[in-house]
Structures are given as C-alpha cells and as structure tokens.
Coordinates of all heavy atoms in Angstrom, one line a residue:
M1 N 0.8 -1.2 0.0 CA 0.0 0.0 0.0 C 0.9 1.2 0.0 O 1.8 1.4 0.8 CB -0.9 0.0 1.2 CG -1.9 1.2 1.3 SD -3.0 1.0 2.7 CE -3.6 2.7 2.8
Q2 N 0.6 2.2 -0.9 CA 1.4 3.4 -1.0 C 0.7 4.5 -0.2 O -0.5 4.6 0.0 CB 1.4 3.8 -2.4 CG 2.5 3.0 -3.2 CD 2.8 3.7 -4.6 OE1 1.9 4.2 -5.2 NE2 4.0 3.8 -4.9
G3 N 1.6 5.3 0.3 CA 1.1 6.5 1.1 C 0.6 7.6 0.1 O 0.7 7.4 -1.1
P4 N 0.1 8.6 0.7 CA -0.4 9.8 -0.1 C 0.8 10.4 -0.8 O 2.0 10.3 -0.4 CB -1.0 10.7 0.9 CG -0.4 10.4 2.2 CD 0.0 8.9 2.1
R5 N 0.5 11.2 -1.9 CA 1.6 11.9 -2.6 C 2.2 13.0 -1.8 O 3.4 13.3 -2.0 CB 1.0 12.5 -3.9 CG 0.8 11.4 -5.0 CD 0.1 12.0 -6.2 NE 0.8 13.1 -6.7 CZ 0.2 14.0 -7.5 NH1 -1.0 13.9 -7.8 NH2 0.9 15.0 -8.0
W6 N 1.5 13.5 -0.9 CA 2.1 14.5 0.0 C 1.8 14.1 1.4 O 0.8 13.6 1.8 CB 1.5 15.9 -0.3 CG 0.0 15.9 -0.6 CD1 -0.6 15.6 -1.7 CD2 -1.0 16.1 0.4 NE1 -2.0 15.6 -1.5 CE2 -2.2 16.0 -0.3 CE3 -1.0 16.5 1.8 CZ2 -3.4 16.2 0.4 CZ3 -2.2 16.7 2.4 CH2 -3.4 16.5 1.7
S7 N 2.8 14.3 2.3 CA 2.7 14.0 3.7 C 2.1 15.1 4.5 O 2.0 16.2 4.0 CB 4.1 13.6 4.2 OG 4.9 14.8 4.2
D8 N 1.7 14.7 5.7 CA 1.2 15.8 6.6 C 2.2 16.8 6.8 O 1.9 18.0 6.9 CB 0.8 15.1 7.9 CG -0.5 14.4 7.9 OD1 -1.2 14.5 6.8 OD2 -0.8 13.7 8.8
E9 N 3.5 16.4 6.9 CA 4.6 17.3 7.1 C 4.7 18.4 6.0 O 4.8 19.5 6.2 CB 5.9 16.6 7.2 CG 6.9 17.2 8.2 CD 8.0 16.2 8.5 OE1 7.7 15.2 9.1 OE2 9.1 16.5 8.0
Y10 N 4.5 17.9 4.8 CA 4.6 18.7 3.6 C 3.4 19.7 3.7 O 3.6 20.9 3.4 CB 4.5 17.9 2.4 CG 4.6 18.7 1.1 CD1 5.7 19.5 0.8 CD2 3.5 18.6 0.2 CE1 5.7 20.2 -0.4 CE2 3.6 19.3 -1.0 CZ 4.6 20.1 -1.3 OH 4.7 20.9 -2.4
F11 N 2.3 19.2 4.0 CA 1.1 20.0 4.1 C 1.2 21.1 5.1 O 0.9 22.3 4.9 CB -0.1 19.2 4.4 CG -1.4 19.9 4.2 CD1 -1.9 20.3 3.0 CD2 -2.2 20.2 5.3 CE1 -3.1 21.0 2.8 CE2 -3.4 20.8 5.2 CZ -3.9 21.2 4.0
M12 N 1.8 20.7 6.3 CA 2.0 21.7 7.4 C 3.0 22.8 6.9 O 2.9 24.0 7.2 CB 2.6 21.0 8.6 CG 1.6 20.1 9.3 SD 0.3 21.0 10.1 CE 1.2 21.5 11.6
G13 N 4.0 22.3 6.1 CA 5.0 23.3 5.6 C 4.4 24.3 4.7 O 4.6 25.5 4.8
I14 N 3.5 23.8 3.9 CA 2.7 24.7 3.0 C 1.9 25.7 3.8 O 1.9 26.9 3.5 CB 1.8 23.9 2.0 CG1 2.7 23.2 1.0 CG2 0.8 24.8 1.3 CD1 1.8 22.3 0.1
N15 N 1.3 25.2 4.8 CA 0.4 26.1 5.6 C 1.3 27.2 6.3 O 0.9 28.4 6.4 CB -0.4 25.3 6.6 CG -1.7 24.9 6.0 OD1 -2.5 25.8 5.7 ND2 -2.0 23.7 5.9
K16 N 2.4 26.8 6.8 CA 3.3 27.8 7.5 C 3.7 28.8 6.5 O 3.8 30.0 6.7 CB 4.5 27.0 8.0 CG 4.4 26.6 9.5 CD 5.7 26.1 10.0 CE 5.5 25.4 11.4 NZ 6.7 24.7 11.8
F17 N 4.1 28.3 5.3 CA 4.6 29.2 4.2 C 3.5 30.2 3.9 O 3.7 31.4 3.7 CB 4.9 28.4 3.0 CG 5.2 29.2 1.8 CD1 6.4 29.8 1.6 CD2 4.2 29.3 0.8 CE1 6.6 30.6 0.4 CE2 4.3 30.0 -0.3 CZ 5.5 30.7 -0.5
L18 N 2.2 29.7 3.8 CA 1.1 30.6 3.4 C 0.8 31.6 4.5 O 0.5 32.8 4.3 CB -0.1 29.8 3.1 CG 0.0 29.0 1.8 CD1 -1.2 28.1 1.7 CD2 0.1 29.9 0.6
D19 N 0.9 31.1 5.8 CA 0.7 32.1 6.9 C 1.6 33.2 6.8 O 1.3 34.4 7.0 CB 0.9 31.3 8.2 CG -0.3 30.5 8.6 OD1 -1.4 30.7 8.0 OD2 -0.2 29.6 9.4
F20 N 2.9 32.9 6.6 CA 4.0 33.9 6.5 C 3.7 34.8 5.4 O 3.7 36.0 5.5 CB 5.3 33.1 6.3 CG 6.4 34.1 6.1 CD1 7.0 34.7 7.2 CD2 6.9 34.4 4.8 CE1 8.1 35.5 7.1 CE2 8.0 35.2 4.7 CZ 8.6 35.8 5.8
N21 N 3.3 34.3 4.2 CA 3.1 35.1 3.0 C 1.9 36.1 3.2 O 1.9 37.2 2.8 CB 2.9 34.3 1.8 CG 4.2 34.0 1.1 OD1 4.6 34.9 0.3 ND2 4.9 33.0 1.4
F22 N 0.8 35.5 3.8 CA -0.4 36.4 4.0 C -0.1 37.5 5.0 O -0.6 38.6 4.8 CB -1.5 35.5 4.5 CG -2.3 34.9 3.3 CD1 -2.1 33.6 3.0 CD2 -3.2 35.7 2.6 CE1 -2.8 33.1 1.9 CE2 -3.9 35.2 1.6 CZ -3.7 33.8 1.2
E23 N 0.8 37.3 5.9 CA 1.1 38.3 6.9 C 2.0 39.4 6.2 O 1.8 40.6 6.4 CB 1.9 37.7 8.0 CG 1.0 37.3 9.2 CD 1.9 36.8 10.3 OE1 3.0 37.3 10.6 OE2 1.4 35.8 11.0
K24 N 2.9 38.9 5.3 CA 3.9 39.8 4.7 C 3.4 40.5 3.5 O 3.5 41.7 3.3 CB 5.2 39.0 4.3 CG 5.9 38.5 5.5 CD 6.6 39.7 6.3 CE 7.4 39.1 7.4 NZ 7.8 40.2 8.3
V25 N 2.8 39.7 2.6 CA 2.5 40.3 1.3 C 1.0 40.1 0.8 O 0.7 40.4 -0.3 CB 3.4 39.7 0.2 CG1 4.8 40.1 0.4 CG2 3.3 38.2 0.1
G26 N 0.3 39.5 1.7 CA -1.1 39.2 1.3 C -1.9 40.5 1.1 O -1.8 41.4 1.8
T27 N -2.6 40.5 0.0 CA -3.4 41.6 -0.4 C -4.8 41.2 -0.7 O -5.0 40.4 -1.6 CB -2.8 42.3 -1.7 OG1 -1.4 42.5 -1.4 CG2 -3.5 43.6 -1.9
H28 N -5.8 41.7 0.0 CA -7.2 41.3 -0.2 C -7.4 39.8 -0.2 O -8.1 39.3 -1.0 CB -7.7 41.9 -1.5 CG -7.5 43.4 -1.6 ND1 -8.1 44.3 -0.8 CD2 -6.8 44.1 -2.5 CE1 -7.7 45.5 -1.1 NE2 -7.0 45.5 -2.1
G29 N -6.7 39.2 0.7 CA -6.9 37.7 0.8 C -6.2 36.9 -0.3 O -6.5 35.7 -0.4
K30 N -5.4 37.6 -1.0 CA -4.7 36.8 -2.1 C -3.2 37.0 -2.0 O -2.7 38.0 -1.5 CB -5.2 37.3 -3.5 CG -6.6 37.1 -3.7 CD -7.0 37.4 -5.2 CE -8.5 37.0 -5.4 NZ -8.8 37.2 -6.8
I31 N -2.5 35.9 -2.5 CA -1.0 36.0 -2.6 C -0.6 35.5 -4.0 O -1.4 34.9 -4.7 CB -0.3 35.2 -1.5 CG1 -0.7 33.7 -1.7 CG2 -0.6 35.7 -0.1 CD1 0.2 32.8 -0.9
N32 N 0.6 35.9 -4.3 CA 1.1 35.4 -5.6 C 1.5 33.9 -5.5 O 2.3 33.6 -4.6 CB 2.2 36.3 -6.2 CG 3.3 36.5 -5.2 OD1 3.2 36.2 -4.1 ND2 4.3 37.2 -5.7
C33 N 1.0 33.1 -6.3 CA 1.1 31.7 -6.2 C 2.6 31.3 -6.6 O 3.1 31.6 -7.7 CB 0.1 31.0 -7.2 SG 0.2 29.2 -7.0
P34 N 3.2 30.6 -5.7 CA 4.6 30.2 -6.0 C 4.8 28.9 -6.7 O 5.9 28.4 -6.8 CB 5.2 30.1 -4.5 CG 4.0 29.6 -3.7 CD 2.8 30.1 -4.4
C35 N 3.7 28.3 -7.2 CA 3.9 27.0 -7.9 C 4.6 27.1 -9.2 O 4.8 28.3 -9.7 CB 2.5 26.3 -8.1 SG 1.6 27.0 -9.5
T36 N 5.1 26.0 -9.8 CA 5.9 26.1 -11.0 C 5.1 26.7 -12.1 O 5.7 27.3 -13.0 CB 6.4 24.7 -11.3 OG1 5.3 23.8 -11.3 CG2 7.5 24.2 -10.3
K37 N 3.8 26.5 -12.2 CA 3.0 27.0 -13.3 C 2.9 28.5 -13.2 O 3.1 29.2 -14.2 CB 1.6 26.4 -13.3 CG 1.5 25.2 -14.2 CD 0.0 24.8 -14.2 CE -0.1 23.4 -14.8 NZ -1.5 23.0 -14.8
C38 N 2.6 29.0 -12.0 CA 2.3 30.5 -11.9 C 3.6 31.3 -11.6 O 3.7 32.4 -12.0 CB 1.4 30.7 -10.7 SG -0.1 29.8 -10.8
S39 N 4.6 30.7 -11.0 CA 5.9 31.3 -10.7 C 5.7 32.7 -10.2 O 6.3 33.7 -10.7 CB 6.9 31.4 -11.9 OG 6.4 30.6 -13.0
H40 N 4.9 32.9 -9.2 CA 4.7 34.2 -8.5 C 4.1 35.3 -9.4 O 4.1 36.4 -9.1 CB 6.0 34.7 -8.0 CG 6.5 33.8 -6.9 ND1 6.2 34.0 -5.5 CD2 7.4 32.8 -6.9 CE1 6.8 33.1 -4.8 NE2 7.6 32.4 -5.6
R41 N 3.6 34.9 -10.6 CA 3.0 35.9 -11.5 C 1.5 36.1 -11.3 O 1.0 37.2 -11.6 CB 3.3 35.5 -12.9 CG 4.7 35.8 -13.4 CD 5.0 35.2 -14.7 NE 4.7 33.8 -14.7 CZ 4.4 33.1 -15.8 NH1 4.4 33.6 -17.0 NH2 4.2 31.8 -15.7
L42 N 0.9 35.1 -10.8 CA -0.6 35.1 -10.7 C -1.0 35.2 -9.3 O -0.4 34.5 -8.4 CB -1.2 33.9 -11.4 CG -0.9 33.9 -12.9 CD1 -1.3 32.5 -13.5 CD2 -1.5 35.0 -13.7
W43 N -2.1 35.9 -9.0 CA -2.6 36.0 -7.6 C -3.9 35.2 -7.4 O -4.8 35.3 -8.2 CB -2.8 37.5 -7.3 CG -1.6 38.3 -7.3 CD1 -0.8 38.6 -8.3 CD2 -0.9 38.8 -6.1 NE1 0.3 39.3 -7.9 CE2 0.2 39.5 -6.5 CE3 -1.3 38.8 -4.7 CZ2 1.1 40.1 -5.7 CZ3 -0.4 39.5 -3.9 CH2 0.8 40.1 -4.3
Y44 N -3.8 34.4 -6.4 CA -5.0 33.6 -6.1 C -5.3 33.6 -4.6 O -4.4 34.0 -3.8 CB -4.8 32.1 -6.5 CG -4.7 31.9 -8.0 CD1 -3.5 31.6 -8.6 CD2 -5.8 32.0 -8.8 CE1 -3.4 31.4 -9.9 CE2 -5.7 31.8 -10.1 CZ -4.5 31.5 -10.7 OH -4.4 31.3 -12.0
D45 N -6.5 33.2 -4.2 CA -6.7 33.1 -2.8 C -6.1 31.8 -2.3 O -5.7 30.9 -3.0 CB -8.2 33.2 -2.4 CG -9.1 32.1 -3.0 OD1 -8.6 30.9 -3.0 OD2 -10.2 32.4 -3.4
R46 N -6.0 31.7 -1.0 CA -5.3 30.7 -0.3 C -5.7 29.3 -0.7 O -4.8 28.4 -0.9 CB -5.4 30.9 1.2 CG -4.6 29.9 2.0 CD -4.8 30.2 3.5 NE -4.0 29.3 4.3 CZ -3.3 29.6 5.3 NH1 -3.3 30.9 5.7 NH2 -2.6 28.7 6.0
R47 N -6.9 29.0 -0.8 CA -7.4 27.7 -1.1 C -6.9 27.2 -2.5 O -6.5 26.1 -2.6 CB -9.0 27.7 -1.2 CG -9.6 26.5 -0.7 CD -11.1 26.7 -0.4 NE -11.7 27.4 -1.4 CZ -12.4 26.8 -2.4 NH1 -12.6 25.5 -2.4 NH2 -13.0 27.5 -3.4
I48 N -6.8 28.1 -3.4 CA -6.4 27.8 -4.8 C -4.9 27.6 -4.8 O -4.4 26.6 -5.4 CB -6.8 28.8 -5.8 CG1 -8.3 28.8 -5.9 CG2 -6.1 28.6 -7.1 CD1 -8.9 30.0 -6.7
V49 N -4.2 28.4 -4.0 CA -2.7 28.2 -4.0 C -2.3 26.9 -3.3 O -1.5 26.2 -3.8 CB -2.1 29.4 -3.2 CG1 -0.6 29.1 -2.9 CG2 -2.3 30.7 -3.9
V50 N -3.0 26.5 -2.3 CA -2.8 25.2 -1.7 C -3.0 24.1 -2.7 O -2.3 23.2 -2.9 CB -3.7 25.0 -0.5 CG1 -3.7 23.5 0.0 CG2 -3.3 25.9 0.7
D51 N -4.1 24.3 -3.5 CA -4.4 23.3 -4.5 C -3.3 23.2 -5.5 O -2.9 22.1 -5.9 CB -5.7 23.7 -5.2 CG -6.4 22.5 -5.8 OD1 -6.6 21.5 -5.1 OD2 -6.7 22.6 -7.0
H52 N -2.8 24.3 -6.0 CA -1.7 24.3 -6.9 C -0.5 23.6 -6.4 O 0.2 22.8 -7.0 CB -1.3 25.7 -7.3 CG -2.2 26.4 -8.3 ND1 -1.9 27.5 -9.0 CD2 -3.5 26.0 -8.6 CE1 -3.0 27.8 -9.7 NE2 -3.9 27.0 -9.5
L53 N -0.2 23.9 -5.1 CA 1.1 23.4 -4.5 C 1.0 21.9 -4.2 O 2.0 21.2 -4.2 CB 1.4 24.1 -3.2 CG 1.8 25.5 -3.3 CD1 1.9 26.2 -2.0 CD2 3.1 25.6 -4.1
L54 N -0.2 21.4 -4.2 CA -0.4 19.9 -3.9 C -0.4 19.1 -5.2 O -0.5 17.9 -5.2 CB -1.7 19.7 -3.1 CG -1.7 20.2 -1.7 CD1 -3.0 19.9 -1.0 CD2 -0.5 19.6 -0.9
H55 N -0.4 19.8 -6.3 CA -0.4 19.1 -7.6 C 0.9 19.2 -8.4 O 1.7 19.9 -8.0 CB -1.6 19.6 -8.5 CG -2.9 19.1 -7.9 ND1 -3.7 19.8 -7.1 CD2 -3.5 17.9 -8.1 CE1 -4.7 19.1 -6.8 NE2 -4.7 18.0 -7.4
Ligands
LIG1 ZN1 -0.1 28.3 -9.0

C-alpha cells in the first residue's frame, strides 16, 4: 500500500509558508502563487494556492 503523494509534514510546511506570506504580502486575501506554473506571477486566494502546491 502506498502513502499519499504529499505527507502531513509537507502540508504543514505549505500552511506555514502561506501564513507567513499572508502576513507579509497578502493583499485582499490573495497572494502570488509560488507553484511552478504560476511562478509568482498570478494571484490567487489561499485555497487555490494550496491546490496548486499539492499538484
Ligand atoms: Zn499556481
């Protein structure tokens, strides 16, 4: 049986990263998405950024 593609630890890391970003650079509840597709160019709300980072 295989584990999930992302571990709880990874998920916690993402959340910490997002908390930090929302405090520092969050604007209107959005941050620039750091995933490979967006490369900080596009702004999304947290839920979508998490989604991007998990894929
Ligand atoms: Zn993205």
Side-chain angles (χ1 to χ4, degrees):
M1 184 174 162
Q2 280 194 318
R5 281 172 58 200
W6 42 276
S7 65
D8 283 351
E9 214 167 290
Y10 180 60
F11 190 69
M12 292 291 282
I14 288 174
N15 269 298
K16 268 189 190 170
F17 169 80
L18 290 175
D19 284 343
F20 178 79
N21 268 276
F22 272 100
E23 270 181 36
K24 293 289 181 190
V25 296
T27 310
H28 304 301
K30 296 189 177 185
I31 59 167
N32 49 355
C33 185
C35 82
T36 48
K37 266 188 193 173
C38 305
S39 351
H40 294 276
R41 282 171 304 161
L42 301 172
W43 292 70
Y44 291 110
D45 65 38
R46 183 176 183 139
R47 213 163 49 94
I48 293 171
V49 172
V50 170
D51 202 53
H52 283 196
L53 291 175
L54 293 179
H55 286 94

